[in-house]
Amino acid sequence: MKIGSHIPTFSLEDNKGNWFNSDEFLYKKYFVLFFYPMDFTPTCTKEVCEFRDVNADFNALDAVVVGINGQSTSSHERFYTKHQLNFPLLSDKGAKLSKLLGIKKKFGLLTPRETFVFNKQGQLIEHIVSNVANVHIEEAMKAIKKDQRN
């Protein structure tokens, strides 16, 4: 997916078993979609908890943060509860959304660590690929602030 491309419409089940529909937020909020490999691994836990800790800052920028990987909703719910998360975790079973965004799984199995930031018009304004968790947060915030200035 290239900068300026539009977010594909998607509907995925969240950790609570509810359907998260992208069109409910389109033209209302920024989207920060961060893909991470697995629940309960040390680096992924660190990344997800860092997003949790700054979620209020994203909310203040009028952004919705969403964590995504291919694991089950029950795994996500255990992870969500254990770490007292404050944003939804979506289950991308079959990698439907990943494929729409052009994400290629590592070793054919794991969702890579990638973040997509979309503006309120649904256009991609930043795509972050890094194994360093906090880079995703810093770059996503910078992209939203820059977009708001323009």
Side-chain angles (χ1 to χ4, degrees), residues 76-95:
H76 283 339
E77 180 59 19
R78 288 189 307 275
F79 191 53
Y80 179 94
T81 301
K82 179 173 182 169
H83 297 290
Q84 301 176 341
L85 301 180
N86 52 11
F87 54 83
L89 299 177
L90 305 183
S91 179
D92 189 21
K93 292 179 186 172

Side-chain angles (χ1 to χ4, degrees), residues 34-147:
F34 76 93
F35 289 78
Y36 65 101
M38 290 183 74
D39 298 337
F40 298 106
T41 60
T43 303
C44 293
T45 298
K46 181 180 186 300
E47 177 183 22
V48 170
C49 289
E50 286 176 358
F51 268 103
R52 175 201 63 204
D53 294 346
V54 298
N55 193 34
D57 297 332
F58 278 111
N59 289 335
L61 294 172
D62 216 14
V64 173
V65 172
V66 180
I68 307 170
N69 72 24
Q71 289 185 274
S72 69
T73 56
S74 60
S75 175
H76 283 339
E77 180 59 19
R78 288 189 307 275
F79 191 53
Y80 179 94
T81 301
K82 179 173 182 169
H83 297 290
Q84 301 176 341
L85 301 180
N86 52 11
F87 54 83
L89 299 177
L90 305 183
S91 179
D92 189 21
K93 292 179 186 172
K96 293 174 190 169
L97 181 57
S98 298
K99 288 175 186 171
L100 286 173
L101 295 174
I103 296 174
K104 293 184 174 81
K105 289 193 171 203
K106 287 185 175 183
F107 315 112
L109 301 169
L110 297 175
T111 303
R113 199 173 310 283
E114 294 189 30
T115 299
F116 296 83
V117 182
F118 295 91
N119 65 15
K120 289 183 180 182
Q121 290 71 44
Q123 292 178 300
L124 181 66
I125 59 172
E126 188 66 67
H127 177 207
I128 305 139
V129 180
S130 175
N131 285 327
V132 180
N134 64 353
V135 167
H136 292 258
I137 292 168
E138 292 168 12
E139 294 301 316
M141 283 199 179
K142 276 190 219 174
I144 293 169
K145 288 176 182 177
K146 180 180 176 185
D147 188 73

